[in-house]
């Protein structure tokens, strides 16, 4: 399927700020099945030509690809407002949801605006329903959150992204990135300079790969809910359910 709103990644193999001697190309070795590359969707929250949230997402995508992932960066420039007439049928909305269904994990990076995430960041998340035709486009997927700030370091945007990730029933990893005075951290080509901020993004992406592989064989079970089973009428099979087996009376062997 051809997608019209995937941003190409400039210089995907060029990692000038990374010392590859300290980062494994397979950081999740031994944690789960590696039959397919982890599939990561990356969303950013600004349409400026020099969008530092997009620059951070691009640096993250290069790192993820170096660690064996398949990545997609969504361009949100023509998304309609949620609730606008025909918004569910808008090509940009349909494509965003297709990418979400494709993904195993996501990266969200927003600028901090007035102490919060940007409207564009929230717009993208608002177009991802909890349930869509019996399929859940976010539930059980891993999530890494990042933010950029024009001033001193803050965590307001990443805190909100964590709240949104929980609301979308995602597995949000513990680590996060907040880049202060982002205008100082990128060169004229939009590449991040070597710094502790860059190293934190490396840490976050390494952790995202590990959590994605670790949860891969268990994702459906981790978000299996009593209320949803009850709503669709799927009872637990006591013969196979491990929790039932654990609490069932055990027959004693003959003395």
């Amino acid at each position: 399927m051809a997608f019209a709103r995937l941003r190409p990644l400039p210089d995907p193999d060029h990692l000038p700020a990374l010392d590859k001697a300290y980062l494994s190309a397979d950081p999740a070795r031994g944690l789960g099945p590696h039959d397919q590359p982890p599939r990561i969707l990356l969303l950013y929250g600004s349409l400026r030509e020099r969008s530092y949230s997009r620059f951070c997402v691009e640096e993250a995508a290069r790192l993820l690809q170096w660690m064996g992932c398949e990545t997609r960066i969504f361009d949100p420039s023509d998304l309609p407002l949620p609730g606008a007439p025909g918004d569910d049928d808008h090509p940009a909305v349909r494509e965003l949801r297709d990418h979400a269904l494709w993904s195993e994990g996501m990266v969200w990076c927003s600028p901090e605006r007035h102490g919060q995430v940007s409207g564009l960041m929230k717009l993208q998340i608002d177009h991802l329903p909890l349930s869509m035709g019996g399929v859940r486009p976010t539930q059980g997927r891993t999530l890494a959150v990042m933010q950029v700030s024009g001033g001193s370091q803050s965590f307001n945007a990443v805190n909100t992204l964590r709240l949104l990730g929980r609301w979308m029933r995602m597995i949000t990893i513990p680590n996060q990135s907040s880049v202060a005075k982002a205008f100082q951290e990128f060169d004229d080509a939009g590449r991040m300079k070597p710094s502790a901020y860059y190293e934190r993004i490396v840490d976050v992406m390494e952790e995202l790969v590990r959590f994605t592989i670790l949860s891969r064989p268990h994702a459906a079970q981790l978000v299996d809910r009593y209320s949803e089973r009850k709503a669709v009428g799927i009872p637990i099979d006591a013969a196979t359910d491990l929790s039932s087996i654990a609490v069932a009376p055990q027959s004693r062997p003959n003395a």
Side-chain angles (χ1 to χ4, degrees):
M1 179 183 296
F3 293 112
R5 294 167 182 82
L6 288 181
R7 288 193 62 91
L9 181 61
D11 296 322
D13 302 319
H14 185 48
L15 297 164
L18 178 68
D19 189 337
K20 295 180 182 178
Y22 296 96
L23 179 64
S24 170
D26 186 13
R29 182 180 303 163
L31 293 180
H34 279 57
D35 51 321
Q36 294 180 346
R39 303 181 303 275
I40 309 296
L41 173 63
L42 300 99
L43 306 179
Y44 59 93
S46 168
L47 297 180
R48 291 176 175 172
E49 183 177 355
R50 280 187 66 80
S51 166
Y52 298 113
S53 62
R54 191 186 79 240
F55 289 164
C56 280
V57 153
E58 289 173 348
E59 294 293 352
R62 294 183 187 98
L63 290 163
L64 289 167
Q65 288 189 13
W66 194 81
M67 289 183 277
C69 298
E70 186 177 350
T71 66
R72 294 180 180 180
I73 302 175
F74 180 73
D75 181 348
S77 57
D78 65 337
L79 276 174
L81 290 174
D87 64 333
D88 284 337
D89 295 322
H90 192 285
V93 174
R94 292 201 305 268
E95 183 169 334
L96 173 61
R97 293 174 179 177
D98 285 342
H99 295 315
L101 290 171
W102 163 86
S103 71
E104 292 180 275
M106 295 189 192
V107 176
W108 296 349
C109 184
S110 177
E112 182 171 320
R113 299 263 176 86
H114 303 299
Q116 267 298 337
V117 299
S118 68
L120 182 65
M121 191 76 242
K122 185 64 161 55
L123 174 67
Q124 295 173 83
I125 299 168
D126 284 347
H127 277 301
L128 295 174
L130 285 175
S131 180
M132 184 174 61
V135 179
R136 302 186 185 278
T138 56
Q139 181 166 294
R141 287 160 174 79
T142 52
L143 172 65
V145 296
M146 306 194 298
Q147 76 168 73
V148 293
S149 304
S152 58
Q153 192 172 43
S154 170
F155 302 96
N156 292 318
V158 286
N159 287 340
T160 295
L161 291 174
R162 284 188 176 279
L163 186 154
L164 290 167
R166 182 182 67 200
W167 191 260
M168 302 304 289
R169 302 175 180 177
M170 304 179 77
I171 303 169
T172 308
I173 67 171
N175 213 342
Q176 62 187 24
S177 168
S178 174
V179 180
K181 296 183 179 179
F183 61 91
Q184 297 180 346
E185 299 302 320
F186 295 86
D187 63 20
D188 291 341
R191 297 307 305 268
M192 199 166 186
K193 303 171 185 176
S195 68
Y197 292 133
Y198 178 81
E199 291 179 1
R200 174 58 68 89
I201 291 178
V202 179
D203 290 346
V204 173
M205 293 308 111
E206 183 180 43
E207 188 170 287
L208 177 64
V209 173
R210 287 175 174 153
F211 271 80
T212 303
I213 291 295
L214 183 65
S215 63
R216 173 181 272 177
H218 312 292
Q221 186 177 0
L222 287 171
V223 293
D224 184 31
R225 287 178 169 82
Y226 159 80
S227 59
E228 294 171 0
R229 294 193 301 272
K230 187 172 184 292
V232 297
I234 301 178
I236 288 291
D237 182 353
T240 58
D241 179 56
L242 295 180
S243 59
S244 298
I245 294 172
V247 299
Q250 302 296 311
S251 59
R252 294 185 177 181
N254 294 327

